[in-house]
Amino acid sequence: MKVSTSIGQPATLGAAEIFPAGCPSRTVLDHVSSKWGVLILVALSNGPLRWGELRRRAEGISEKMLAQTLKTLEGDGFIRRDAQPVIPPRVDYSLTGRGQELVALLLPLVTWIAEHATEILQTGHPAEAASAVAPG
């Protein structure tokens, strides 16, 4: 895949499709790029997890938000909910093939953010100004 480095140009032809207001890709983009959506998807990248494990992994998520996020990602076909017929009930969540494909794309972004977050939050815009090329 070739990635464009020019600002204002979509990296791929399909990226241009997200800009129209009524585009369905905007809904999916919202689901997968929400803070909790990304965290849940990345948490599942190492294998299936139960509800409590997901809640502990995504620190700060409420039960309501976890339930809503899991339902949304399951509805989009990114995660699978596997309920075991045992007592007490056991439910495992895992990535589907589509979810694995998405997480493979998300992990480099999440890694980049983790590596640069402190610097970005401490310095803000000056780092951008320092790397800009001065007119000659």
Side-chain angles (χ1 to χ4, degrees):
M1 168 176 39
K2 184 176 179 180
V3 177
S4 171
T5 56
S6 50
I7 297 174
Q9 298 285 332
T12 64
L13 293 177
E17 300 300 318
I18 65 169
F19 293 104
C23 182
S25 60
R26 281 197 182 189
T27 301
V28 177
L29 181 64
D30 182 50
H31 295 171
V32 301
S33 66
S34 71
K35 171 176 60 175
W36 300 121
V38 169
L39 291 175
I40 296 303
L41 289 165
V42 171
L44 292 171
S45 67
N46 291 322
L49 293 172
R50 295 174 71 181
W51 170 279
E53 294 169 321
L54 280 168
R55 184 134 190 253
R56 283 188 296 278
R57 194 80 193 272
E59 290 182 18
I61 192 168
S62 68
E63 287 187 16
K64 179 181 177 183
M65 186 54 67
L66 178 57
Q68 181 180 328
T69 303
L70 288 169
K71 185 176 181 180
T72 298
L73 294 173
E74 182 184 10
D76 290 343
F78 295 117
I79 65 171
R80 176 181 305 106
R81 181 182 186 274
D82 183 26
Q84 304 291 324
V86 294
I87 297 183
R90 177 185 174 108
V91 179
D92 293 305
Y93 295 92
S94 60
L95 295 173
T96 62
R98 178 184 287 167
Q100 291 171 352
E101 185 179 351
L102 174 61
V103 167
L105 298 168
L106 282 176
L107 284 174
L109 173 64
V110 170
T111 300
W112 186 92
I113 291 169
E115 290 172 357
H116 295 87
T118 301
E119 173 194 346
I120 292 167
L121 294 176
Q122 286 177 350
T123 62
H125 297 289
E128 182 179 311
S131 66
V133 176

